[in-house]
Amino acid sequence: QVQLVESGGGLVQAGGSLRLSCAASGRTFSSYVMGWFRQAPGKEREFVAAINRSGGRRTYADSVKGRFTISRDNAKNTVYLQMNSLKPEDTAVYYCAAENTVIYNTVAVTVPGEYDYWGQGTQVTVSS
């Protein structure tokens, strides 16, 4: 079992940047595929980005390609989401997630039900 804690959210004006962090407990962080999802009020949970166990493969939602970057530091048990050129439509609660059973592919990592563990979320608000 792993515990995930997100941080780094806040209020930012359109065009600004934020970096989210997700710190994981446990001794087997490098065994987990990591993902970021978000959920805006009244909307379904939405895939944002994923990264494989070694950090060499990344997958992004079309809505964030070119603006967001996911990375991980297995020595620090931490995954990051660098968010640039933020837009009001990026406003949501952002969740970190981990799974250790899937063989990494660009379809499975976008599905919330494939993940085993979730953080509590961090609020990102982008003003006009």
Side-chain angles (χ1 to χ4, degrees), residues 1-2 24-33 72 74 77 100:
Q1 194 168 354
V2 63
S25 66
R27 303 170 182 171
T28 57
F29 177 74
S30 63
S31 297
Y32 291 90
V33 171
R72 69 191 296 163
N74 287 346
N77 280 18
N100 65 358

Side-chain angles (χ1 to χ4, degrees), residues 8-110:
L11 175 64
V12 64
Q13 292 187 341
S17 298
L18 287 172
R19 189 177 78 161
L20 306 183
S21 298
C22 174
S25 66
R27 303 170 182 171
T28 57
F29 177 74
S30 63
S31 297
Y32 291 90
V33 171
M34 301 298 298
W36 286 98
F37 294 78
R38 66 188 183 186
Q39 188 165 18
K43 295 188 176 182
E44 298 289 333
R45 185 168 46 182
E46 177 187 26
F47 170 74
V48 177
I51 190 166
N52 75 338
R53 294 165 176 85
S54 67
R57 295 187 64 188
R58 298 169 175 86
T59 305
Y60 297 97
D62 288 342
S63 59
V64 306
K65 285 181 180 177
R67 300 189 298 121
F68 291 11
T69 303
I70 187 171
S71 61
R72 69 191 296 163
D73 187 339
N74 287 346
K76 297 181 179 179
N77 280 18
T78 303
V79 64
Y80 305 94
L81 185 68
Q82 178 66 47
M83 304 185 294
N84 299 326
S85 301
L86 283 162
K87 305 174 181 179
E89 52 262 45
D90 295 318
T91 295
V93 177
Y94 283 71
Y95 296 94
C96 177
E99 58 89 19
N100 65 358
T101 60
V102 67
I103 298 174
Y104 194 93
N105 69 78
T106 58
V107 175
V109 297
T110 70

